[in-house]
Amino acid sequence: MRTAATGKQTECYHCGENCQEGKIMSDGKYFCCEGCKTVYQLLNQSGLCEYYDLNGQPGTNQRVAVRKDKFAFLEVDHIQRQLISFTDDKQTNVTFYLPQIHCSSCLYLLENLHRLHAGVISAVVNFTRKEIAIVFDHNRISLREVAELLTSIGYEPYISLNNLGLKRSPVNRQMLYRMGIAGFCFANIMLISFPEYLGLEGSEKALQSIFRILNFILALPVVFYSAVPFFSSGWKALKHKHLNIDAPIALAILITYGRSVYEVVCGAGGGYFDSMSGIVFFMLVGRVFQDKTYQQLSFERDFTSYFPVAVAVLKDDKEIPTTLPEIKVGDTLVIHNEELIPADGILTRGKGFIDYSFVTGESLPVTKEMGEIVYAGGKQTGSVMEILVVKEVAQSYLAKLWSDNDFKRSEEKNTSFVHLLSRWFTCILLGIAAIAAVYWSMVDSSKVWNAITAVLIVACPCALLLSNTFTNGVILRILGRNKFYLRNAQVIEDLARIDHIVFDKTGTLASAHEQQIEYFGKPLSKRQLLQIATLAACSNHPLSKALVKYIGRKGKMPVSAFHEITGKGVEGVVGEHFIKLGAYAWVTGKGKQPEGTAVYISYDHEVQGCFQFSNQFRESVPALVKSLKPQYSLSVLSGDNAAGKDNLEQLLGHDSVILFHQQPEDKLRYIQSLQKHGKRVMMVGDGLNDAGALQQSNVGIAVAEDCNNFTPASDAIIDAGQLSKIPAFIRLCKVNKRIVIASFILSIAYNIVGLSFAVQGDLSPLIAAILMPASSLSILLITFGSGNIAARLLIPGPLPTSPGRGRSNTAS
């Protein structure tokens, strides 16, 4: 617990800012403001004052050891150039992705990096994207040392091969500028147009021409800058002989502006600059809202996002950091604990305990001995090993798997019902304008121009687009706050239409990192269990480690004559008793081992039984299956063995399809077969072995343990802890369509009222100015309110709130 300094000037106990001693106090501690004092009191009352133990001296007590040369590749010039965003003679700017960021204490610590090293000038955290932008003095600290500094305080940067040559998509500031300018001009045109609406009499008539000229000037940037996206989109559609929703918007803008200019020049009226600028502003608001709703995750992923930037290559007995594209056949790679194997090769030194769960779906690490082939994508969970490269990175099994043409989506997703609706709306709108023009050309030609422009202004399809855009935006944000992130708004509609759900097992229904262990056989005494655990502790095999963890070790016993046989098991004398642990055939002397993963036990040459290993289902899975079964057909595809088949059948029922030993190609073809029978399939998986199935399915959902790990290409990413809410999320997506249709019906009602005036050719500027913004604003209010009400009714529990970018020292 830190203590406040003494003296006239001291530090705030909560945030560390300077404050006057004695001004604001609580429990003998000084605070710079009432807000800091209030937060402290809340933490103190809740027993959470450990927050100050972490933040008192940022990072000094949280340092972790950093392996030597772990970030040596950051000293390579061409790697630095591709990671650094800006550099000059004095400073360098770099942005790192830190998946460990999770709370406001993280923000406080990271934004105080300058206290840990004087070479760091500033650090700004983007909590949503889990990124930190660091400005540092490269004369005092190098890029490598910055990465080591972050790692030493528990925030190791995630730098993948995908970062090399990757151009970050810039924030669409142009759209923000267009919206801002349109909003400014719209507000001022409306203000200046009030005298026009109310009518001018007598001497005030002289001001009319000045106001009209001002409106004309304010409308120029709206038409020639803010409205450019609509003109561009509409023109591109027409060139491809397609009529999209932007075409009538662009036409309405041009005609309205043209007529308004004509009226101002001829002195016939003030025009419709207000309505024209309002159309542009509200449409841009909708597009910016949808773009900003959700930007923090990447859904287009390949193996380069999973692989590291560089790996250590052994040359002249020295480890040389080498980027993956430079690795050649014949190179010797040094793979450390928890590092990924980037290329297929032969194990030449050390022992491999390789976790392939993300690639193949196998739940347990595989043991590899010298001379055996190891494949790219596995993670070494043992000590250091060396492999001789036999295939370059781009030619590895994993790379070929990813680029396989069979893994490309063979069926395009359905077009949104809004696009179909808007196409009919556009045709009807242009038809009404044409009918009005023909009618008035025969009855009163002076009203033709007025009727056409009034129809296009009042019945502009912006209400339809706004209702869809804002409803989708609200739903996307609600789902995002619940840690369910969709690629785009189209996925909402696709989710609402699915009728068959396919689950992966390992990493999805069952945790890839938690094993359920059960003993079957003769009863074992506490002493026997201790002896078994003692023998297992002598081995580094993943099953041995899991067994030791399961049994526990309370006490030590001597081990002699220990012997380990690769692929079979271990044996030794523990407490004067001979024990064997391992495979069925080796321990029992009988035939092939039964299905499943198990460690068999022989005690003084007598078989006692076995410890059966299986994946542990997530706690939420039974409730999830129970909720989905009445409405959807369910299937489970697993790359793992069939050890958990009975549990799955009991959980899903015998009418569900459950398949084991499924290769990536098998999963893909199963999805295709369902689609050929007219099924709309949602696939839920987590690994590269699910990549093809996720892409082929109508909706592919990738499961992440914390939404920060690598996930394969998908339409959505869901936090593993939110799986139980999938039924509620699907129901919310179905409600989304109803909200859009309801708001569109309301906009049609507005259009009918407006068109009843417009087709008569005598719509006044005042009515046009009122109808257009009123319809748009009411649509926004209805969609926002309906979406939030539906979410509160359908999604169980309180809606989570995302931490903002406020002061970094605010308690979480």
Side-chain angles (χ1 to χ4, degrees), residues 161 303-304 306-313 322-328 331-336 339-345 354 356 359 374-380 385-400:
L161 180 60
F303 69 94
T304 61
Y306 185 49
F307 278 5
V309 169
V311 67
V313 175
T322 307
T323 58
L324 266 57
E326 296 176 346
I327 293 175
K328 305 297 181 185
D331 285 345
T332 298
L333 308 183
V334 181
I335 309 298
H336 298 267
E339 287 188 346
L340 292 167
I341 301 171
D344 298 347
I354 304 171
Y356 282 114
V359 179
V374 294
Y375 294 98
K379 179 185 288 186
Q380 166 68 333
M385 66 177 184
E386 296 177 7
I387 64 171
L388 179 69
V389 177
V390 296
K391 289 184 181 179
E392 295 180 6
V393 174
Q395 300 298 318
S396 67
Y397 164 76
L398 182 61
K400 286 184 175 180

Side-chain angles (χ1 to χ4, degrees), residues 695-745:
Q695 291 190 58
Q696 176 61 36
S697 59
N698 300 96
V699 178
I701 300 177
V703 178
E705 291 290 344
D706 58 7
C707 287
N708 303 314
N709 296 332
F710 174 84
T711 52
S714 59
D715 298 303
I717 299 173
I718 188 170
D719 184 273
Q722 302 296 98
L723 278 174
S724 62
K725 295 183 180 180
I726 283 181
F729 294 154
I730 295 175
R731 289 195 295 269
L732 184 61
C733 291
K734 291 180 178 180
V735 169
N736 173 81
K737 182 175 181 179
R738 298 173 192 166
I739 296 174
V740 172
I741 292 175
S743 59
F744 179 57
I745 291 172

Side-chain angles (χ1 to χ4, degrees), residues 130-182:
K130 298 188 182 296
E131 292 179 342
I132 182 171
I134 300 175
V135 180
F136 62 94
D137 182 350
H138 49 252
N139 297 311
R140 304 179 69 178
I141 184 172
S142 67
L143 180 63
R144 172 182 175 177
E145 290 171 333
V146 170
E148 289 174 343
L149 174 63
L150 290 168
T151 304
S152 71
I153 59 175
Y155 297 91
E156 180 179 337
Y158 184 86
I159 308 172
S160 69
L161 180 60
N162 195 35
N163 293 112
L164 292 188
L166 178 64
K167 301 269 185 195
R168 291 183 179 272
S169 55
V171 178
N172 195 351
R173 296 186 180 276
Q174 281 277 21
M175 191 66 76
L176 293 175
Y177 295 151
R178 295 181 198 277
M179 181 189 71
I181 290 173

